[in-house]
């Protein structure tokens, strides 16, 4: 991976292909945007399902793939202020 896409401490990777999101999605405390990167559709959708079982979540119905890149991507919007009772 070229040095321009790596964080210095710990060598974590910064993905330059992540799409920007609207400020409205994080305009209040408790609102978050979750970008999921996974090896396959089933894993990404299972993680999203686990998040949606706990908090109010605007879910995606499919993943995206970037040609030439491994794995899949998925974005969901979560409201931590609205929890689901177990």
């Amino acid at each position: 991976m070229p040095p321009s896409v790596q964080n210095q401490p710990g060598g974590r990777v910064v993905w330059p292909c992540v799409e920007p999101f609207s400020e409205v999605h994080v305009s209040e405390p408790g609102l978050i945007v979750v970008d999921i990167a996974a090896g396959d559709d089933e894993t990404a959708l299972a993680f999203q399902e686990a998040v949606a079982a706990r908090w109010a979540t605007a879910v995606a119905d499919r993943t995206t793939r970037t040609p030439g890149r491994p794995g899949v991507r998925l974005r969901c919007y979560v409201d931590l202020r609205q929890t689901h009772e177990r």
Side-chain angles (χ1 to χ4, degrees):
M1 176 128 339
S4 62
V5 295
Q6 290 187 7
N7 291 334
Q8 298 302 317
R12 296 182 187 168
V13 176
V14 176
W15 292 99
C17 59
V18 174
E19 297 291 325
F21 53 87
S22 171
E23 287 184 26
V24 73
H25 295 122
V26 292
S27 62
E28 299 177 30
L31 300 178
I32 62 173
V33 177
V34 179
D35 283 318
I36 301 163
D40 56 55
D41 294 337
E42 294 78 21
T43 303
L45 293 169
F47 179 80
Q48 176 184 246
E49 185 177 320
V51 170
R54 172 90 169 131
W55 298 288
T57 306
V59 298
D61 59 350
R62 63 184 174 86
T63 62
T64 59
R65 294 180 185 276
T66 302
R69 296 261 181 168
V72 298
R73 305 281 184 269
L74 182 140
R75 175 176 282 177
C76 59
Y77 303 91
V78 182
D79 186 344
L80 298 178
R81 303 167 301 178
Q82 299 181 42
T83 60
H84 299 298
E85 297 199 19
R86 295 178 159 209

